[in-house]
Amino acid sequence: MNTLAPSAAMPADIRQEMARLRRLATLLDAAFRIPGTRARWGLDTLVGLLPVGGTAVMLVPSLYIIWKGWRLGASRAVLSRMMANVLVETAADLVPVVGDVFDTAFKADLRNVALLERHFGMTVP
């Protein structure tokens, strides 16, 4: 389990919010392990199996992570990269089967939380 080592100057509320976002992203992208492998998948992959509706449903928590990044004060550049990650994953998700495999490998939500962590000077050991 990764623990965050925030800079000492970071407010506690940002550290707590980032920990919550990390847990959400892990649930969405890496909560479960594929037996016999190191590959991980999450609810995003499972719900994404539903044609079109699954993609739309899973877009909501991804956009929530971006919104929280905006509320916490992430830069426009970081928010733009986060949005691009979600758009790439969403576009790929629209292709049956291949999109689900891509989604499992790409992990946009974990990428976005990592972008926020770097923006706020947090390190993941």
Side-chain angles (χ1 to χ4, degrees), residues 6 15 23-24 33 41 45 51-52 54 61 63 81 86-87 103-104 121-122:
R15 288 193 307 265
R23 285 191 301 272
L24 173 60
R33 177 166 293 183
W41 58 280
T45 301
V52 183
L63 292 175
R81 287 184 65 193
V86 170
L87 290 174
D103 183 38
T104 302
M122 303 171 89

Side-chain angles (χ1 to χ4, degrees), residues 73-86:
S75 70
R76 283 185 178 208
V78 169
L79 295 171
S80 295
R81 287 184 65 193
M82 291 172 70
M83 187 59 105
N85 286 339
V86 170

Side-chain angles (χ1 to χ4, degrees), residues 3-116:
T3 58
L4 300 177
S7 66
M10 184 177 300
D13 56 332
I14 291 178
R15 288 193 307 265
Q16 291 171 346
E17 192 60 47
M18 289 307 304
R20 281 191 286 270
L21 291 176
R22 169 62 64 184
R23 285 191 301 272
L24 173 60
T26 299
L27 178 65
L28 295 172
D29 288 344
F32 312 104
R33 177 166 293 183
I34 297 172
T37 71
R38 294 178 53 183
R40 300 191 67 84
W41 58 280
L43 292 180
D44 200 359
T45 301
L46 184 64
V47 175
L49 292 173
L50 300 170
V52 183
T55 299
V57 166
M58 294 316 298
L59 186 58
V60 173
S62 294
L63 292 175
Y64 172 79
I65 292 171
I66 295 170
W67 177 76
K68 289 303 276 187
W70 174 74
R71 296 276 305 192
L72 291 170
S75 70
R76 283 185 178 208
V78 169
L79 295 171
S80 295
R81 287 184 65 193
M82 291 172 70
M83 187 59 105
N85 286 339
V86 170
L87 290 174
V88 165
E89 186 173 85
T90 300
D93 256 354
L94 295 175
V95 179
V97 182
V98 173
D100 297 317
V101 172
F102 179 83
D103 183 38
T104 302
F106 189 69
K107 302 181 186 320
D109 299 311
L110 285 173
R111 286 174 185 258
N112 287 344
V113 169
L115 284 169
L116 288 173

